Every structure is written in C-alpha cells, then in structure tokens.
Coordinates of all heavy atoms in Angstrom, one line a residue:
A973 N -45.3 17.5 -19.3 CA -46.0 16.9 -20.4 C -47.2 16.1 -19.6 O -46.9 15.4 -18.7 CB -45.2 15.8 -21.0
L974 N -48.4 16.6 -20.0 CA -49.7 16.0 -19.5 C -50.1 14.8 -20.4 O -50.2 15.0 -21.6 CB -50.7 17.0 -19.3 CG -52.2 16.5 -19.1 CD1 -52.1 15.9 -17.7 CD2 -53.2 17.7 -19.1
L975 N -50.2 13.6 -19.8 CA -50.7 12.5 -20.6 C -52.1 12.1 -20.0 O -52.2 11.4 -19.0 CB -49.7 11.3 -20.3 CG -48.2 11.6 -20.5 CD1 -47.4 10.4 -20.3 CD2 -47.9 12.2 -21.8
P976 N -53.1 12.5 -20.7 CA -54.5 12.3 -20.1 C -55.1 10.9 -20.5 O -56.0 10.6 -19.8 CB -55.3 13.5 -20.8 CG -54.6 13.6 -22.1 CD -53.2 13.5 -21.9
N977 N -54.5 10.2 -21.5 CA -55.1 9.0 -21.8 C -54.1 7.9 -21.7 O -53.3 7.8 -22.8 CB -55.7 9.1 -23.2 CG -56.8 10.1 -23.4 OD1 -57.7 10.2 -22.4 ND2 -56.8 10.9 -24.4
I978 N -53.9 7.2 -20.6 CA -53.0 6.2 -20.5 C -53.7 4.9 -20.0 O -54.6 5.1 -19.1 CB -51.8 6.5 -19.6 CG1 -52.3 7.0 -18.2 CG2 -50.9 7.6 -20.3 CD1 -51.2 7.3 -17.2
S979 N -53.4 3.9 -20.5 CA -54.1 2.5 -20.0 C -53.2 1.8 -19.0 O -53.8 1.1 -18.2 CB -54.2 1.7 -21.2 OG -53.0 1.4 -21.9
N980 N -51.9 2.1 -19.0 CA -51.0 1.5 -18.0 C -49.8 2.2 -17.8 O -49.5 3.1 -18.6 CB -50.9 -0.1 -18.3 CG -50.4 -0.2 -19.7 OD1 -49.3 0.3 -20.2 ND2 -51.0 -0.9 -20.6
T981 N -49.0 1.8 -16.9 CA -47.7 2.5 -16.6 C -46.7 2.3 -17.9 O -45.8 3.0 -18.0 CB -47.0 1.9 -15.4 OG1 -46.8 0.6 -15.5 CG2 -47.8 2.3 -14.1
E982 N -46.8 1.3 -18.6 CA -46.0 1.0 -19.8 C -46.2 2.2 -20.8 O -45.2 2.6 -21.3 CB -46.4 -0.3 -20.5 CG -45.6 -0.6 -21.7 CD -44.1 -0.8 -21.3 OE1 -43.8 -1.0 -20.0 OE2 -43.1 -0.7 -22.2
D983 N -47.4 2.8 -20.9 CA -47.5 3.9 -21.8 C -46.6 5.1 -21.3 O -45.9 5.8 -22.1 CB -48.9 4.4 -21.8 CG -49.9 3.4 -22.5 OD1 -49.4 2.6 -23.2 OD2 -51.1 3.5 -22.1
I984 N -46.6 5.4 -20.0 CA -45.7 6.4 -19.4 C -44.3 6.2 -19.7 O -43.5 6.9 -20.0 CB -45.9 6.5 -18.0 CG1 -47.5 6.7 -17.6 CG2 -45.2 7.7 -17.4 CD1 -47.8 6.7 -16.2
H985 N -43.9 4.8 -19.5 CA -42.5 4.4 -19.6 C -42.0 4.7 -21.1 O -40.9 5.1 -21.3 CB -42.3 3.0 -19.3 CG -40.9 2.4 -19.4 ND1 -39.9 2.7 -18.5 CD2 -40.5 1.6 -20.5 CE1 -38.8 2.1 -19.1 NE2 -39.1 1.4 -20.2
V986 N -42.9 4.3 -22.1 CA -42.5 4.4 -23.5 C -42.2 5.8 -23.8 O -41.2 6.2 -24.4 CB -43.6 3.8 -24.4 CG1 -43.3 4.3 -25.8 CG2 -43.6 2.3 -24.3
I987 N -43.1 6.9 -23.3 CA -42.9 8.3 -23.6 C -41.7 8.8 -22.9 O -40.9 9.6 -23.5 CB -44.3 9.0 -23.3 CG1 -45.4 8.6 -24.3 CG2 -44.0 10.5 -23.4 CD1 -46.7 9.1 -24.0
T988 N -41.6 8.4 -21.6 CA -40.4 8.9 -21.0 C -39.1 8.6 -21.5 O -38.2 9.5 -21.7 CB -40.6 8.4 -19.4 OG1 -41.9 8.8 -18.9 CG2 -39.5 9.0 -18.7
E989 N -39.0 7.3 -22.0 CA -37.9 6.9 -22.5 C -37.6 7.6 -23.8 O -36.4 7.9 -24.2 CB -37.8 5.4 -22.6 CG -37.6 4.5 -21.4 CD -36.3 4.8 -20.7 OE1 -35.2 4.9 -21.4 OE2 -36.3 5.1 -19.5
K990 N -38.6 7.7 -24.5 CA -38.4 8.5 -25.8 C -37.9 9.9 -25.6 O -37.1 10.4 -26.4 CB -39.9 8.6 -26.5 CG -39.7 9.0 -28.0 CD -41.1 8.7 -28.6 CE -41.1 9.3 -30.1 NZ -42.4 9.1 -30.8
I991 N -38.5 10.6 -24.6 CA -38.1 12.0 -24.2 C -36.5 11.9 -23.9 O -35.7 12.7 -24.4 CB -38.9 12.5 -23.1 CG1 -40.2 12.8 -23.6 CG2 -38.2 13.8 -22.5 CD1 -41.3 13.2 -22.5
L992 N -36.1 11.0 -23.1 CA -34.8 11.0 -22.6 C -33.8 10.7 -23.7 O -32.8 11.3 -23.8 CB -34.6 9.8 -21.6 CG -35.1 10.0 -20.2 CD1 -35.1 8.7 -19.4 CD2 -34.3 11.2 -19.4
A993 N -34.1 9.8 -24.6 CA -33.4 9.5 -25.8 C -33.3 10.6 -26.7 O -32.2 11.0 -27.3 CB -34.0 8.2 -26.6
E994 N -34.4 11.3 -26.9 CA -34.4 12.5 -27.8 C -33.5 13.7 -27.4 O -32.9 14.3 -28.2 CB -35.9 13.0 -28.0 CG -36.1 13.9 -29.2 CD -35.8 13.4 -30.5 OE1 -35.9 12.3 -30.8 OE2 -35.4 14.1 -31.5
L995 N -33.6 13.9 -26.1 CA -32.8 15.0 -25.5 C -31.4 14.7 -25.2 O -30.6 15.6 -25.0 CB -33.5 15.5 -24.2 CG -34.8 16.0 -24.3 CD1 -35.4 16.5 -23.0 CD2 -35.1 17.1 -25.4
R996 N -31.0 13.4 -25.4 CA -29.6 13.0 -25.3 C -28.9 13.2 -26.7 O -27.7 13.2 -26.6 CB -29.4 11.6 -24.9 CG -29.7 11.3 -23.4 CD -29.7 9.8 -23.1 NE -30.1 9.6 -21.6 CZ -30.7 8.7 -21.2 NH1 -31.2 7.7 -22.0 NH2 -31.0 8.5 -19.9
K997 N -29.7 13.4 -27.7 CA -29.0 13.6 -29.0 C -28.4 15.0 -29.0 O -28.8 15.9 -28.4 CB -30.1 13.5 -30.1 CG -30.8 12.2 -30.3 CD -31.9 12.2 -31.3 CE -32.5 10.9 -31.5 NZ -33.5 11.0 -32.4
P998 N -27.4 15.1 -29.8 CA -26.7 16.4 -29.9 C -27.5 17.5 -30.3 O -28.3 17.4 -31.1 CB -25.5 16.1 -30.9 CG -25.3 14.6 -30.9 CD -26.7 14.2 -30.6
F999 N -27.4 18.7 -29.7 CA -28.0 19.9 -30.2 C -27.0 20.6 -31.1 O -25.9 21.0 -30.7 CB -28.5 20.8 -29.0 CG -29.6 20.1 -28.3 CD1 -29.3 19.3 -27.3 CD2 -30.8 20.6 -28.6 CE1 -30.4 18.8 -26.4 CE2 -31.9 20.1 -27.9 CZ -31.7 19.2 -26.8
V1000 N -27.5 21.1 -32.2 CA -26.7 21.9 -33.1 C -27.4 23.2 -33.4 O -28.4 23.4 -33.9 CB -26.4 21.2 -34.6 CG1 -25.6 22.0 -35.3 CG2 -25.9 19.9 -34.3
L1001 N -26.7 24.2 -32.8 CA -27.1 25.6 -32.9 C -26.2 26.5 -33.5 O -25.2 26.8 -32.9 CB -27.6 26.2 -31.5 CG -28.6 25.3 -30.7 CD1 -28.8 25.9 -29.3 CD2 -29.9 25.3 -31.4
G1002 N -26.4 26.8 -34.8 CA -25.5 27.6 -35.5 C -24.2 26.7 -35.7 O -24.4 25.6 -36.4
E1003 N -23.0 27.1 -35.4 CA -21.9 26.3 -35.6 C -21.4 25.6 -34.3 O -20.4 24.9 -34.2 CB -20.7 27.2 -36.0 CG -20.8 27.9 -37.4 CD -19.7 28.8 -37.7 OE1 -18.8 29.0 -36.9 OE2 -19.8 29.4 -38.8
T1004 N -22.3 25.7 -33.3 CA -22.0 25.0 -32.0 C -22.8 23.8 -31.9 O -24.1 23.7 -32.1 CB -22.4 26.0 -30.9 OG1 -21.6 27.2 -31.1 CG2 -22.0 25.3 -29.5
Q1005 N -22.1 22.6 -31.4 CA -22.8 21.4 -31.1 C -22.5 21.1 -29.7 O -21.3 21.1 -29.3 CB -22.3 20.3 -32.1 CG -22.9 19.0 -31.8 CD -22.4 17.9 -32.8 OE1 -22.6 18.2 -34.0 NE2 -21.9 16.8 -32.3
F1006 N -23.5 20.5 -28.9 CA -23.2 20.2 -27.6 C -24.4 19.2 -27.2 O -25.3 19.0 -27.8 CB -23.2 21.5 -26.6 CG -24.4 22.3 -26.7 CD1 -25.4 22.1 -25.9 CD2 -24.6 23.3 -27.6 CE1 -26.6 22.8 -25.9 CE2 -25.7 24.1 -27.7 CZ -26.8 23.8 -26.8
L1007 N -24.0 18.6 -26.0 CA -24.9 17.6 -25.5 C -25.6 18.2 -24.3 O -25.0 19.0 -23.5 CB -24.1 16.4 -25.1 CG -23.5 15.6 -26.3 CD1 -22.7 14.4 -25.6 CD2 -24.4 15.1 -27.2
A1008 N -26.8 17.7 -24.1 CA -27.6 18.1 -22.9 C -28.4 16.9 -22.4 O -28.8 16.1 -23.1 CB -28.5 19.2 -23.3
T1009 N -28.6 16.9 -21.1 CA -29.3 15.8 -20.4 C -30.5 16.3 -19.7 O -30.5 17.6 -19.5 CB -28.5 14.9 -19.6 OG1 -28.0 15.7 -18.4 CG2 -27.4 14.3 -20.4
T1010 N -31.4 15.5 -19.1 CA -32.5 16.0 -18.5 C -32.9 15.2 -17.4 O -32.6 14.0 -17.4 CB -33.7 16.1 -19.5 OG1 -34.9 16.8 -18.8 CG2 -34.2 14.8 -19.9
S1011 N -33.5 15.7 -16.4 CA -34.0 15.0 -15.2 C -35.6 15.1 -15.3 O -36.1 16.1 -15.4 CB -33.5 15.5 -13.8 OG -32.1 15.4 -13.8
I1012 N -36.2 13.9 -15.0 CA -37.7 13.7 -15.2 C -38.3 13.1 -14.0 O -37.9 12.1 -13.5 CB -38.0 12.9 -16.5 CG1 -37.4 13.6 -17.7 CG2 -39.5 12.6 -16.6 CD1 -37.7 12.7 -19.0
G1013 N -39.4 13.8 -13.5 CA -40.2 13.3 -12.4 C -41.5 13.0 -13.0 O -42.1 13.7 -13.8

C-alpha cells in the first residue's frame, strides 16, 4: 500500500491498524469460514 499524502506518522498508524483489524475478521468463502492474520512492514 502506497500512502503518498501523509502529514505525520499517526496517519500511517491509523491505516495500518485498520488493515490489521480488517484482516483479522473471519473470511467466509463458500461454506468455509476461517481466520487469517497478516504481517506488515
């Protein structure tokens, strides 16, 4: 994810936390539900 317009590190933190929270939600594909996590640099 490229963030070309940021004013401070808080902008990065907000988006990063949002990504982590969103990808921690269960994935439902067909009749299968499972959890997935992610590592972010």
Side-chain angles (χ1 to χ4, degrees):
L974 168 62
L975 315 181
N977 299 319
I978 54 174
S979 56
N980 51 60
T981 55
E982 183 61 26
D983 293 342
I984 307 172
H985 177 74
V986 169
I987 293 176
T988 302
E989 287 301 315
K990 192 173 181 180
I991 291 174
L992 286 170
E994 189 66 27
L995 296 186
R996 284 173 184 147
K997 296 178 181 178
F999 287 88
V1000 180
L1001 302 175
E1003 299 180 354
T1004 305
Q1005 176 176 309
F1006 56 92
L1007 299 175
T1009 59
T1010 186
S1011 298
I1012 296 177

